[in-house]
Amino acid sequence: ERGVRLAALRRERPMLAAELDRMLAGEARLAERGFLEPGAAAPLAAELPPLTGTRIGVYRLLRPLGRGGMGTVWLAERADGRFDATYAVKLLNLALLDPVGLERFRREGQLLARLAHPNIARLVDAGVTDTGVPYLVLEHVDGIQIDRYCDGARLPPVRRIQLFQQVLAAVAHAHGNLIVHRDLKPSNVLVTAEGAVKLLDFGIARLIEEEGGGSATTLTGSGGHALTPEFAAPEQVSGGAVTTATDVYALGVLLYVLLSGRHPTAEQGQSAAGHLRDLAETEPVRLSAAITDAAARGATAERLRRHYAGDLDNIVARALKKAPQERYPTVTAFGDDLRRFLAHEPVAARPDSLGYRTGKFLRRHRVAAVAAALGVLALAGVALRERELRARAESEARKALAVEEFLISVFDAADPFAPPTANPGEVTVRSLLDRGIERIDTAMADQPDVRADLRAALGRVYSDLGLFAQAETQVRRVLAERLARFGPRRAEVAAAMDQLGGILSQVGKHAEADSLLRAALALRRQGLGNRHDATAESLDHLAELRRQENDFAAAEPLLREALDIRTGLHGARHLSVAQTKNNLALILWSKGDYANAEALYREALAIRVDRLGENHPLTAQTVQNLAQARQQQGHLAEAESLYRRSLDIKRKALGDAHPSTTISMSNLGQLLLQHTPKKAEAESLLRGALALDRQIFGEQHPFVAQDLAQLATVAMRKGDFDEAERLGRQSLAISRALHSGEHINIAFALNSLASVLRLKGASAQAVPLLREAVAQYDTLVGADHRNTLVVAGNLARALRETGETAEAERIFRASFAGLARKQPQDTSLVDGIRVGLGRTLIDVGRPGEALPLLETAFTGLGGRHGPGDLRTTEAALALGEALLALRQLERAAPLVRDAAGRLEAQRETQPVLAAHARGVLRRLERAAGG
């Protein structure tokens, strides 16, 4: 019939017939290869493109590891030599993603990168190649798929269940991050030589499905849901909602295969269509009746049947229920039942009875039970205790189910296959958070504990997104609810206090934050002890508040205690250790100990890159801090590169409207403004940071004050001194309003405003501001701190300009000695002080003493910055003036004329120095004429 129909089509519709011929020929080729048949595999080497040696980003492809409908996987190494490690690079099939999908793919990669669990193969990087091919870079796992590993090692059932619990822990971690795997199967679960489970391809099915694509080696149910037939859940075939229960079913199939050696519904060698039919229609055979290879499990079939009958049968059967709501409500509940089975405790999957509970008790406590048999009251007490435990387990199960239902109600808006809503549009994280807050009171009206936990979690996400006002509102409610429910001395109350205190410290409400954080720390020390993670968390948060208040002496011991706790609990490579090292380094940096701060930053960065990858916001945070340390040590080119790297990561991961991003924008802008000719880029970054910080925090915030001070410098360098002064005074007013007494931010604003006044010729107004700034820095960070010495040099310049040359000389010499000792690597800074001191000596008639200082400064600045740099020009003018005073006119003339010409071209931005240069040039001309 086909031949007749095709012949007719060739006459009637030749183009359609040609297309059908082509497609049928392709089908024949696939049939020859056994496409979609069990055990079929396409020849790998013959079909993969020759990509060996190709560079993808910073990774070089070494050899193919595998292929599938979603793409190919390659073993790779870093091509830049920074780390000696191998990775698995997955090149995704370009046909699976449309242009919109590519952008969503990038965002999804950032979400997946947040999965940090020892049993999950970590996503290191994600991106798109120059040719438009999306790729993922994952931890390379050298292991054996779990079923083959168990059979090869002839593991008994108990060891298989223990290994399987690692899988459950990994999936539970992902569910906690709102990611459903959807493709759990033995080939995605590897076991290393050390016996550690590694789960692969976490979230990839979600990635592809959300783009509306399919896969050449997957079947799809209604709505285009990608699935693997043997491990799909019924709802994936019927087009139902894919939830965490979908993963529970797949895990049930996996456990069934590990324990019995066969699939629960499908026969060996069955077609994909047969799998799907049986999935929908066939009830699984009881585990105890499905054993096919007892020898591989180190026992006889009869012994395994006895071992599986009862509890284990019920546990597996519950995970494999056709209806999602009849399965375990969470992966954790599944794991808890397996743990109870191994411990001979009552399991939730079996109907409760006194005989059942007592039997379990007797098995757990054989010796004790003999003695207990002398009294019936003892058994009655045991039964009561068992009922209490069961009630608690049921309560936890109800809580988990309530949370799952709440999450489904909130996140169904993100399902691209859900029915359209009344308000269509892009689903954002912010919209989902707001949706959750709207529903939490009604959805959790009868579960106050669950409501408080969820509200705290939503507040944490708001805070991480930089939405501090929303975070504060939610966490205040959490604290109020927990205080009303538990009183002031519960661990839950301490956690809420600590969370709220951390948020308040971010928005400048330091007094209330201090009270909350100290109370939380005291409660945690009393209730949990001094060697607990929560105690370390409170120490870290309180130390950060102390740092913001410039109380570095109080902050440092808090952080060192937190570091000792976390290292003792988790070892030296834990993420919490990296967090504390990063914060401790920030204290050392603030105290001017840049070398030791740098060492700690590098240690923290190595941990974060290893555990989180290079493109995580926390990695970017440490990269930025390392940039600051390198900048203060005079390594400006490296600092700029690090700042740019940090900003790029943050923009991709967090977007521009996030406080962490604006910090990087401001820091990079400041560096470019002060040390490079890239003034336009610097201004753009600083103006962008100010606009975003105002949007995030409002007007009264330290970030806004610092942005205004930096923009005052921009206006000053354009010659708009009135605007610069206005911005500088606005910055100072905000800082004084936010910080009572002395504070680094006030000292910074004072120095910034004084710089503007000096340049516009109002040095007499600058002197009192600079005296206050020096005094504050002296009190806060010490007399020999870099900031104190630099601002003291500015005070000396203002004093010289107002005629106070004796005091100016004394301060210049002290600043010079301190900087030469503390900052020998920052030679430009030291040379700047040389110029100021040299000009002072010329003013008091000691040009011979000034000459060697100015010659050294001119040579150093010119060699580093070139003759066109303002610092070099000022040094040239001062050196020419000293030579003129010494009557060395031939040497003085070219220096003075060149400097005067350059400064005349900058008279709008350097009016005072340009006017002085004109006076020196007139003296030179008179001396030459005379």
Side-chain angles (χ1 to χ4, degrees), residues 655-678:
D656 277 0
H658 192 283
S660 186
T661 307
T662 66
I663 290 173
S664 286
M665 292 170 67
S666 181
N667 285 345
L668 176 59
Q670 176 268 334
L671 175 75
L672 298 179
L673 182 67
Q674 299 290 341
H675 302 290
T676 76
K678 304 168 187 175

PDB file of all heavy atoms in Angstrom, residues 655-678:
ATOM      1  N   GLY A 655      22.694  40.284  37.970  1.00  0.00           N
ATOM      2  CA  GLY A 655      22.151  41.464  37.308  1.00  0.00           C
ATOM      3  C   GLY A 655      22.772  42.732  37.874  1.00  0.00           C
ATOM      4  O   GLY A 655      23.521  42.705  38.856  1.00  0.00           O
ATOM      5  N   ASP A 656      22.471  43.859  37.259  1.00  0.00           N
ATOM      6  CA  ASP A 656      23.047  45.126  37.714  1.00  0.00           C
ATOM      7  C   ASP A 656      22.417  45.622  39.012  1.00  0.00           C
ATOM      8  O   ASP A 656      23.093  46.207  39.859  1.00  0.00           O
ATOM      9  CB  ASP A 656      22.885  46.205  36.634  1.00  0.00           C
ATOM     10  CG  ASP A 656      23.990  46.133  35.588  1.00  0.00           C
ATOM     11  OD1 ASP A 656      24.868  45.250  35.719  1.00  0.00           O
ATOM     12  OD2 ASP A 656      23.972  46.940  34.651  1.00  0.00           O
ATOM     13  N   ALA A 657      21.103  45.427  39.170  1.00  0.00           N
ATOM     14  CA  ALA A 657      20.383  46.004  40.307  1.00  0.00           C
ATOM     15  C   ALA A 657      20.546  45.138  41.554  1.00  0.00           C
ATOM     16  O   ALA A 657      19.573  44.680  42.161  1.00  0.00           O
ATOM     17  CB  ALA A 657      18.913  46.181  39.953  1.00  0.00           C
ATOM     18  N   HIS A 658      21.784  44.911  41.945  1.00  0.00           N
ATOM     19  CA  HIS A 658      22.088  44.139  43.149  1.00  0.00           C
ATOM     20  C   HIS A 658      23.229  44.840  43.873  1.00  0.00           C
ATOM     21  O   HIS A 658      24.183  45.297  43.242  1.00  0.00           O
ATOM     22  CB  HIS A 658      22.493  42.711  42.776  1.00  0.00           C
ATOM     23  CG  HIS A 658      22.544  41.786  43.962  1.00  0.00           C
ATOM     24  ND1 HIS A 658      23.588  41.789  44.853  1.00  0.00           N
ATOM     25  CD2 HIS A 658      21.666  40.852  44.412  1.00  0.00           C
ATOM     26  CE1 HIS A 658      23.367  40.891  45.787  1.00  0.00           C
ATOM     27  NE2 HIS A 658      22.208  40.304  45.545  1.00  0.00           N
ATOM     28  N   PRO A 659      23.154  44.945  45.195  1.00  0.00           N
ATOM     29  CA  PRO A 659      24.193  45.704  45.915  1.00  0.00           C
ATOM     30  C   PRO A 659      25.601  45.155  45.726  1.00  0.00           C
ATOM     31  O   PRO A 659      26.561  45.917  45.707  1.00  0.00           O
ATOM     32  CB  PRO A 659      23.746  45.621  47.383  1.00  0.00           C
ATOM     33  CG  PRO A 659      22.731  44.529  47.439  1.00  0.00           C
ATOM     34  CD  PRO A 659      22.090  44.483  46.099  1.00  0.00           C
ATOM     35  N   SER A 660      25.728  43.841  45.575  1.00  0.00           N
ATOM     36  CA  SER A 660      27.062  43.285  45.355  1.00  0.00           C
ATOM     37  C   SER A 660      27.622  43.739  44.008  1.00  0.00           C
ATOM     38  O   SER A 660      28.821  44.017  43.881  1.00  0.00           O
ATOM     39  CB  SER A 660      27.008  41.755  45.420  1.00  0.00           C
ATOM     40  OG  SER A 660      28.296  41.198  45.345  1.00  0.00           O
ATOM     41  N   THR A 661      26.756  43.841  43.003  1.00  0.00           N
ATOM     42  CA  THR A 661      27.200  44.312  41.688  1.00  0.00           C
ATOM     43  C   THR A 661      27.600  45.770  41.746  1.00  0.00           C
ATOM     44  O   THR A 661      28.607  46.177  41.159  1.00  0.00           O
ATOM     45  CB  THR A 661      26.079  44.104  40.650  1.00  0.00           C
ATOM     46  OG1 THR A 661      25.651  42.746  40.682  1.00  0.00           O
ATOM     47  CG2 THR A 661      26.570  44.436  39.252  1.00  0.00           C
ATOM     48  N   THR A 662      26.824  46.591  42.444  1.00  0.00           N
ATOM     49  CA  THR A 662      27.151  48.023  42.493  1.00  0.00           C
ATOM     50  C   THR A 662      28.465  48.269  43.230  1.00  0.00           C
ATOM     51  O   THR A 662      29.175  49.229  42.920  1.00  0.00           O
ATOM     52  CB  THR A 662      26.024  48.828  43.159  1.00  0.00           C
ATOM     53  OG1 THR A 662      25.896  48.475  44.535  1.00  0.00           O
ATOM     54  CG2 THR A 662      24.696  48.601  42.447  1.00  0.00           C
ATOM     55  N   ILE A 663      28.801  47.408  44.186  1.00  0.00           N
ATOM     56  CA  ILE A 663      30.099  47.543  44.857  1.00  0.00           C
ATOM     57  C   ILE A 663      31.223  47.374  43.837  1.00  0.00           C
ATOM     58  O   ILE A 663      32.185  48.155  43.802  1.00  0.00           O
ATOM     59  CB  ILE A 663      30.232  46.509  45.989  1.00  0.00           C
ATOM     60  CG1 ILE A 663      29.300  46.851  47.149  1.00  0.00           C
ATOM     61  CG2 ILE A 663      31.674  46.441  46.494  1.00  0.00           C
ATOM     62  CD1 ILE A 663      29.253  45.780  48.225  1.00  0.00           C
ATOM     63  N   SER A 664      31.104  46.357  42.995  1.00  0.00           N
ATOM     64  CA  SER A 664      32.138  46.125  41.981  1.00  0.00           C
ATOM     65  C   SER A 664      32.173  47.266  40.962  1.00  0.00           C
ATOM     66  O   SER A 664      33.246  47.669  40.505  1.00  0.00           O
ATOM     67  CB  SER A 664      31.893  44.789  41.280  1.00  0.00           C
ATOM     68  OG  SER A 664      32.226  43.713  42.119  1.00  0.00           O
ATOM     69  N   MET A 665      31.005  47.768  40.576  1.00  0.00           N
ATOM     70  CA  MET A 665      30.966  48.901  39.652  1.00  0.00           C
ATOM     71  C   MET A 665      31.699  50.103  40.251  1.00  0.00           C
ATOM     72  O   MET A 665      32.503  50.767  39.582  1.00  0.00           O
ATOM     73  CB  MET A 665      29.514  49.268  39.336  1.00  0.00           C
ATOM     74  CG  MET A 665      28.757  48.231  38.530  1.00  0.00           C
ATOM     75  SD  MET A 665      26.979  48.564  38.430  1.00  0.00           S
ATOM     76  CE  MET A 665      26.984  50.063  37.432  1.00  0.00           C
ATOM     77  N   SER A 666      31.405  50.384  41.520  1.00  0.00           N
ATOM     78  CA  SER A 666      32.021  51.535  42.184  1.00  0.00           C
ATOM     79  C   SER A 666      33.531  51.358  42.336  1.00  0.00           C
ATOM     80  O   SER A 666      34.308  52.282  42.081  1.00  0.00           O
ATOM     81  CB  SER A 666      31.367  51.738  43.555  1.00  0.00           C
ATOM     82  OG  SER A 666      31.914  52.849  44.220  1.00  0.00           O
ATOM     83  N   ASN A 667      33.960  50.151  42.744  1.00  0.00           N
ATOM     84  CA  ASN A 667      35.390  49.922  42.946  1.00  0.00           C
ATOM     85  C   ASN A 667      36.166  50.022  41.636  1.00  0.00           C
ATOM     86  O   ASN A 667      37.250  50.621  41.592  1.00  0.00           O
ATOM     87  CB  ASN A 667      35.612  48.547  43.571  1.00  0.00           C
ATOM     88  CG  ASN A 667      35.240  48.515  45.040  1.00  0.00           C
ATOM     89  OD1 ASN A 667      35.087  49.559  45.664  1.00  0.00           O
ATOM     90  ND2 ASN A 667      35.077  47.335  45.592  1.00  0.00           N
ATOM     91  N   LEU A 668      35.631  49.432  40.580  1.00  0.00           N
ATOM     92  CA  LEU A 668      36.303  49.523  39.285  1.00  0.00           C
ATOM     93  C   LEU A 668      36.309  50.971  38.802  1.00  0.00           C
ATOM     94  O   LEU A 668      37.333  51.458  38.297  1.00  0.00           O
ATOM     95  CB  LEU A 668      35.617  48.620  38.260  1.00  0.00           C
ATOM     96  CG  LEU A 668      36.167  48.695  36.829  1.00  0.00           C
ATOM     97  CD1 LEU A 668      37.651  48.340  36.786  1.00  0.00           C
ATOM     98  CD2 LEU A 668      35.375  47.770  35.899  1.00  0.00           C
ATOM     99  N   GLY A 669      35.194  51.664  38.942  1.00  0.00           N
ATOM    100  CA  GLY A 669      35.141  53.067  38.528  1.00  0.00           C
ATOM    101  C   GLY A 669      36.152  53.921  39.263  1.00  0.00           C
ATOM    102  O   GLY A 669      36.826  54.773  38.667  1.00  0.00           O
ATOM    103  N   GLN A 670      36.286  53.678  40.571  1.00  0.00           N
ATOM    104  CA  GLN A 670      37.261  54.450  41.357  1.00  0.00           C
ATOM    105  C   GLN A 670      38.681  54.194  40.884  1.00  0.00           C
ATOM    106  O   GLN A 670      39.479  55.123  40.739  1.00  0.00           O
ATOM    107  CB  GLN A 670      37.101  54.076  42.841  1.00  0.00           C
ATOM    108  CG  GLN A 670      38.104  54.732  43.769  1.00  0.00           C
ATOM    109  CD  GLN A 670      39.352  53.879  43.985  1.00  0.00           C
ATOM    110  OE1 GLN A 670      39.310  52.660  43.868  1.00  0.00           O
ATOM    111  NE2 GLN A 670      40.460  54.536  44.265  1.00  0.00           N
ATOM    112  N   LEU A 671      39.010  52.927  40.624  1.00  0.00           N
ATOM    113  CA  LEU A 671      40.353  52.606  40.145  1.00  0.00           C
ATOM    114  C   LEU A 671      40.632  53.281  38.806  1.00  0.00           C
ATOM    115  O   LEU A 671      41.696  53.895  38.606  1.00  0.00           O
ATOM    116  CB  LEU A 671      40.505  51.091  40.004  1.00  0.00           C
ATOM    117  CG  LEU A 671      41.835  50.621  39.404  1.00  0.00           C
ATOM    118  CD1 LEU A 671      42.952  50.742  40.421  1.00  0.00           C
ATOM    119  CD2 LEU A 671      41.746  49.185  38.903  1.00  0.00           C
ATOM    120  N   LEU A 672      39.695  53.185  37.877  1.00  0.00           N
ATOM    121  CA  LEU A 672      39.880  53.790  36.551  1.00  0.00           C
ATOM    122  C   LEU A 672      40.002  55.299  36.656  1.00  0.00           C
ATOM    123  O   LEU A 672      40.799  55.924  35.942  1.00  0.00           O
ATOM    124  CB  LEU A 672      38.710  53.424  35.633  1.00  0.00           C
ATOM    125  CG  LEU A 672      38.520  51.928  35.335  1.00  0.00           C
ATOM    126  CD1 LEU A 672      37.308  51.715  34.429  1.00  0.00           C
ATOM    127  CD2 LEU A 672      39.764  51.333  34.691  1.00  0.00           C
ATOM    128  N   LEU A 673      39.230  55.893  37.536  1.00  0.00           N
ATOM    129  CA  LEU A 673      39.258  57.352  37.700  1.00  0.00           C
ATOM    130  C   LEU A 673      40.593  57.831  38.249  1.00  0.00           C
ATOM    131  O   LEU A 673      41.153  58.833  37.782  1.00  0.00           O
ATOM    132  CB  LEU A 673      38.123  57.770  38.634  1.00  0.00           C
ATOM    133  CG  LEU A 673      37.954  59.275  38.885  1.00  0.00           C
ATOM    134  CD1 LEU A 673      37.520  59.982  37.619  1.00  0.00           C
ATOM    135  CD2 LEU A 673      36.931  59.501  40.006  1.00  0.00           C
ATOM    136  N   GLN A 674      41.118  57.111  39.234  1.00  0.00           N
ATOM    137  CA  GLN A 674      42.320  57.568  39.934  1.00  0.00           C
ATOM    138  C   GLN A 674      43.610  57.205  39.209  1.00  0.00           C
ATOM    139  O   GLN A 674      44.597  57.937  39.315  1.00  0.00           O
ATOM    140  CB  GLN A 674      42.354  56.958  41.345  1.00  0.00           C
ATOM    141  CG  GLN A 674      41.184  57.344  42.230  1.00  0.00           C
ATOM    142  CD  GLN A 674      41.229  58.791  42.653  1.00  0.00           C
ATOM    143  OE1 GLN A 674      42.266  59.438  42.592  1.00  0.00           O
ATOM    144  NE2 GLN A 674      40.092  59.315  43.080  1.00  0.00           N
ATOM    145  N   HIS A 675      43.600  56.091  38.459  1.00  0.00           N
ATOM    146  CA  HIS A 675      44.884  55.551  38.009  1.00  0.00           C
ATOM    147  C   HIS A 675      44.987  55.275  36.513  1.00  0.00           C
ATOM    148  O   HIS A 675      46.004  54.738  36.075  1.00  0.00           O
ATOM    149  CB  HIS A 675      45.184  54.247  38.766  1.00  0.00           C
ATOM    150  CG  HIS A 675      45.229  54.415  40.253  1.00  0.00           C
ATOM    151  ND1 HIS A 675      46.237  55.107  40.894  1.00  0.00           N
ATOM    152  CD2 HIS A 675      44.377  53.990  41.229  1.00  0.00           C
ATOM    153  CE1 HIS A 675      46.017  55.094  42.202  1.00  0.00           C
ATOM    154  NE2 HIS A 675      44.896  54.421  42.428  1.00  0.00           N
ATOM    155  N   THR A 676      43.966  55.587  35.738  1.00  0.00           N
ATOM    156  CA  THR A 676      44.022  55.303  34.301  1.00  0.00           C
ATOM    157  C   THR A 676      43.444  56.482  33.526  1.00  0.00           C
ATOM    158  O   THR A 676      42.782  57.350  34.104  1.00  0.00           O
ATOM    159  CB  THR A 676      43.202  54.037  33.942  1.00  0.00           C
ATOM    160  OG1 THR A 676      41.804  54.360  33.957  1.00  0.00           O
ATOM    161  CG2 THR A 676      43.474  52.895  34.897  1.00  0.00           C
ATOM    162  N   PRO A 677      43.653  56.520  32.223  1.00  0.00           N
ATOM    163  CA  PRO A 677      43.023  57.563  31.409  1.00  0.00           C
ATOM    164  C   PRO A 677      41.579  57.248  31.017  1.00  0.00           C
ATOM    165  O   PRO A 677      40.974  58.003  30.245  1.00  0.00           O
ATOM    166  CB  PRO A 677      43.930  57.600  30.164  1.00  0.00           C
ATOM    167  CG  PRO A 677      44.464  56.219  30.036  1.00  0.00           C
ATOM    168  CD  PRO A 677      44.632  55.717  31.440  1.00  0.00           C
ATOM    169  N   LYS A 678      41.012  56.169  31.532  1.00  0.00           N
ATOM    170  CA  LYS A 678      39.674  55.732  31.115  1.00  0.00           C
ATOM    171  C   LYS A 678      38.603  56.464  31.924  1.00  0.00           C
ATOM    172  O   LYS A 678      37.773  55.866  32.613  1.00  0.00           O
ATOM    173  CB  LYS A 678      39.548  54.218  31.289  1.00  0.00           C
ATOM    174  CG  LYS A 678      40.634  53.433  30.542  1.00  0.00           C
ATOM    175  CD  LYS A 678      40.670  51.982  30.969  1.00  0.00           C
ATOM    176  CE  LYS A 678      41.850  51.247  30.356  1.00  0.00           C
ATOM    177  NZ  LYS A 678      41.997  49.865  30.837  1.00  0.00           N
TER     178      LYS A 678
END
